[in-house]
Amino acid sequence: MKKKKILLLYDNRELDRQVLRPVNYDTFEAEWIRQNGGNAGNKLFNTAVEQYLTKEDIEYAYDTGNESADEINEKYDLAVFTTANIFNAHPRIRKELDVFAERIDKFRIPVYILGCGIQCGSYDDIGGLAEEIGDSARAFLKAVYRTGGELAVRGYATKEFLDKVMPGNSAVVTGCPSFYQRGGGLQISKEIVPEERFKPAINGNLKYLKQIGMLRVFEEYKSSVYMDQDEFAEVLYFHDDRKKSSTAELVRKKTLCGVELLAEDRIRLIYDVPVWFSWLQEQKISFSCGSRIHGNIAASLAGIPAMVIYRDARTRELTEFFELPGSAQYDDRKSLYEVYLEADYTKFNRNFADKFKAFETFMVLYGISHDLDDRSLFEKKLSGQCWRLPELPGKRNVDCIRVHYDRYKGLYRVYENVIDRLRNLR
């Protein structure tokens, strides 16, 4: 059987790409430093894409940057680019967009873009973004279409942006590929738990959660946990981070609440997706809420009700596309339990199978994959590994922070108040 050969165009962050074997936490620190970080949300995205490509008749490999365009054209049948926020006015991202356009323009194999989207503050900013990066985005689109490829974009806001940049483009709105990895039958069943057993998982940048008045949830629900994606990686997974950041610096960078949560062992950052899913279920998490879209997608994939507090066009368009409960503001007049009781998954459950089918149709139509509900080979490969919650290499860091917090928490509270006042003066 001749296998189709697919090249995955993505960056070289091994932490985000290491899908079929567990992360080696003994070498995590060196990999993080060498690769300038990682993100568990990217890992969730990559896990989905690799699952869809794990078929008996497909062979795929990650781009290393060492092969020329001619070598790639000779070796592979097609290329898949798994990018998320590529349409972005940030100078570094715009430069990447230009580089990819120039590189893709040299390909003679079709290039398919999965899950790409805009990054801007709100829907009102779409026109301005199109004016600012229109030339770069248009060059990128032309390069993709010149190869015979196509784009699967994550939401209707991104499609509106593309229509402004290149009217008549044929990009298809499919949502984020990460949401389809449990198949088309995914449903969110909301079996109401009493408030005394309510255990929420909160996600999002802690400074932002403080700004919207959401940090009080951690005080109101002592069993609640903070599901991190990258903020506390250095503290939790570096062998000795104490010399790099003091407890006072953590208060300034991550809020006093973040330091309290560390001291109380209420922060989880899980880089292995199978462990992430199983931990959420084993801990009987009742509800996921916050501004991290992939944190809420992970909970939904584990069958846990989730709600998105969207802070930009990116998270809003995904929330609306998948018909998850969502809001631009956190209503701090209500308890989180009241928010949980009001969350409605009727539309999500009714329409998810059709969204899955539309994404699968895209993948089949362009010969990228097939039968996405069949996860047998992927799960067989996963089953050959030992997936477990890691012992934290940074335990000494956390112990040190706990001691300092217990000893000086009154001073840290004053310190944070002073910092907040200074920030408000700017």
Side-chain angles (χ1 to χ4, degrees):
M1 175 180 60
K2 184 181 178 182
K3 293 190 176 185
K4 180 176 296 181
K5 293 187 176 182
I6 298 178
L7 177 66
L8 277 171
L9 293 170
Y10 196 63
D11 64 31
N12 290 318
R13 289 184 179 177
E14 188 70 16
L15 287 170
D16 292 350
R17 296 184 350 185
Q18 193 172 313
V19 166
L20 288 169
R21 68 182 189 279
V23 169
N24 182 347
Y25 288 98
D26 289 332
T27 61
F28 181 97
E29 181 175 351
E31 290 185 37
W32 180 277
I33 293 171
R34 177 171 56 84
Q35 300 163 47
N36 194 29
N39 186 295
N42 293 341
K43 186 76 168 285
L44 186 73
F45 190 119
N46 293 338
T47 298
V49 174
E50 289 205 28
Q51 176 184 301
Y52 307 146
L53 300 184
T54 303
K55 305 290 183 184
E56 294 287 0
D57 58 348
I58 295 175
E59 181 180 312
Y60 66 88
Y62 272 104
D63 179 36
T64 63
N66 297 325
E67 294 176 309
S68 68
D70 287 340
E71 289 172 319
I72 288 170
N73 292 331
E74 183 67 28
K75 185 175 179 180
Y76 297 97
D77 298 302
L78 60 92
V80 170
F81 189 14
T82 55
T83 183
N85 308 321
I86 195 67
F87 301 119
N88 189 323
H90 189 286
R92 179 179 61 81
I93 307 298
R94 183 172 183 175
K95 184 177 180 181
E96 288 182 4
L97 183 63
D98 292 335
V99 169
F100 276 115
E102 184 178 349
R103 190 171 183 220
I104 289 171
D105 201 44
K106 298 175 183 176
F107 287 3
R108 296 193 306 275
I109 56 172
V111 177
Y112 299 103
I113 315 298
L114 298 183
C116 68
I118 57 170
Q119 177 76 57
C120 60
S122 72
Y123 288 176
D124 292 336
D125 299 324
I126 293 174
L129 181 66
E131 289 181 11
E132 188 170 356
I133 68 166
D135 290 342
S136 296
R138 198 157 30 250
F140 180 79
L141 290 172
K142 287 179 178 178
V144 170
Y145 285 129
R146 197 174 289 120
T147 69
E150 187 54 275
L151 297 89
V153 303
R154 67 176 173 222
Y156 293 104
T158 296
K159 186 63 167 75
E160 179 184 337
F161 166 82
L162 295 183
D163 288 344
K164 291 179 182 296
V165 168
M166 182 186 283
N169 73 82
S170 53
V172 182
V173 179
T174 63
C176 180
S178 62
F179 224 143
Y180 301 120
Q181 58 192 289
R182 287 297 176 95
L186 178 67
Q187 298 283 277
I188 298 176
S189 176
K190 189 174 158 190
E191 298 178 7
I192 302 298
V193 299
E195 190 166 13
E196 60 269 21
R197 289 198 287 111
F198 181 58
K199 186 173 183 177
I202 309 302
N203 56 73
N205 177 278
L206 286 172
K207 283 186 177 179
Y208 175 71
L209 296 182
K210 180 179 180 179
Q211 178 186 325
I212 64 174
M214 199 171 173
L215 290 187
R216 68 179 176 83
V217 169
F218 293 111
E219 182 64 29
E220 292 171 352
Y221 301 97
K222 290 296 187 180
S223 64
S224 61
V225 293
Y226 175 61
M227 292 303 300
D228 188 19
Q229 287 182 202
D230 58 2
E231 272 199 278
F232 290 93
E234 294 180 23
V235 176
L236 297 173
Y237 292 127
F238 281 24
H239 287 85
D240 191 353
D241 188 52
R242 290 171 297 167
K243 296 176 183 177
K244 301 182 183 69
S245 58
S246 68
T247 306
E249 284 179 305
L250 277 173
V251 171
R252 179 175 60 83
K253 293 177 180 177
K254 312 295 184 187
T255 76
L256 179 60
C257 179
V259 172
E260 290 173 341
L261 293 171
L262 277 171
E264 295 169 0
D265 190 30
R266 292 167 65 189
I267 294 179
R268 292 293 177 272
L269 172 54
I270 303 173
Y271 272 91
D272 292 322
V273 171
V275 181
W276 192 356
F277 290 159
S278 62
W279 188 87
L280 289 167
Q281 293 169 332
E282 290 163 6
Q283 292 296 309
K284 294 182 167 48
I285 298 297
S286 314
F287 187 50
S288 172
C289 187
S291 59
R292 288 278 203 173
I293 189 67
H294 283 108
N296 292 307
I297 289 176
S300 301
L301 289 166
I304 295 166
M307 176 176 174
V308 182
I309 309 298
Y310 47 80
R311 59 181 299 186
D312 53 20
R314 174 180 64 95
T315 44
R316 180 180 176 182
E317 73 170 338
L318 276 168
T319 303
E320 292 178 345
F321 177 81
F322 284 109
E323 298 174 287
L324 276 174
S327 174
Q329 300 291 331
Y330 177 70
D331 189 350
D332 58 9
R333 295 169 301 177
K334 299 178 181 178
S335 70
L336 188 64
Y337 187 72
E338 290 176 294
V339 174
Y340 158 73
L341 292 177
E342 293 173 2
D344 185 359
Y345 301 89
T346 305
K347 291 181 179 179
F348 176 91
N349 289 334
R350 183 172 63 233
N351 298 322
F352 184 80
D354 289 340
K355 293 178 172 65
F356 172 87
K357 193 63 182 176
F359 176 71
E360 183 180 51
T361 297
F362 180 93
M363 299 288 276
V364 172
L365 178 63
Y366 293 104
I368 303 168
S369 187
H370 54 85
D371 195 8
L372 301 193
D373 257 322
D374 180 6
R375 306 184 294 280
S376 56
L377 181 58
F378 183 77
E379 290 177 354
K380 181 181 177 181
K381 291 187 176 185
L382 289 182
S383 67
Q385 301 288 342
C386 180
W387 303 97
R388 62 187 178 193
L389 200 67
E391 294 182 14
L392 293 181
K395 185 178 183 303
R396 291 177 64 194
N397 301 327
V398 177
D399 289 343
C400 183
I401 289 165
R402 183 178 294 115
V403 169
H404 278 261
Y405 170 71
D406 289 342
R407 188 176 297 166
Y408 304 115
K409 58 185 173 184
L411 289 174
Y412 288 137
R413 189 166 288 111
V414 172
Y415 174 58
E416 185 178 52
N417 288 337
V418 170
I419 291 171
D420 288 344
R421 288 174 186 171
L422 290 174
R423 284 179 180 142
N424 291 334
L425 290 174
R426 291 177 185 173

